[in-house]
Amino acid sequence: MRVSVDGMRRNMTADINWLREAITSIIDELDTDDKQEIIDSFNQVACNQNSFNCMYDDENDDFNDMGDQLEINLLDDEA
């Protein structure tokens, strides 16, 4: 079975960006410790996905370097 890794990464990046927006809309309601835990957890997932977006396989047309096309912005401590 052939899988489009590019398509999977597009979908995952879009979902994580949507999650970022959801977190941003409620994060100020959290206490300081919970807020920092959410920021740190989200940023870890975002960094992993951003790294995955840069991976590629020259022998697979559906697994290209998409690092310049897909990116998730990290949450900063001021979120």
Side-chain angles (χ1 to χ4, degrees):
M1 177 169 101
R2 188 167 178 126
V3 175
S4 173
V5 181
D6 293 351
M8 290 173 52
R9 292 182 293 169
R10 276 188 204 94
N11 290 341
M12 184 61 73
T13 298
D15 289 346
I16 295 171
N17 278 323
W18 174 81
L19 177 60
R20 184 186 190 284
E21 295 304 316
I23 290 170
T24 301
S25 72
I26 64 161
I27 200 159
D28 288 332
E29 299 171 22
L30 301 175
D31 67 49
T32 303
D33 291 337
D34 289 341
K35 181 177 178 178
Q36 192 59 52
E37 184 176 352
I38 292 292
I39 288 171
D40 293 343
S41 297
F42 176 86
N43 286 346
Q44 181 64 46
V45 171
C47 284
N48 289 338
Q49 184 64 36
N50 285 336
S51 295
F52 186 42
N53 290 341
C54 295
M55 293 179 184
Y56 62 94
D57 179 355
D58 285 333
E59 296 180 17
N60 184 341
D61 293 338
D62 293 321
F63 194 179
N64 297 289
D65 180 354
M66 301 185 80
D68 60 344
Q69 300 171 34
L70 300 174
E71 183 177 5
I72 300 164
N73 293 323
L74 302 181
L75 291 170
D76 61 24
D77 295 338
E78 310 296 320

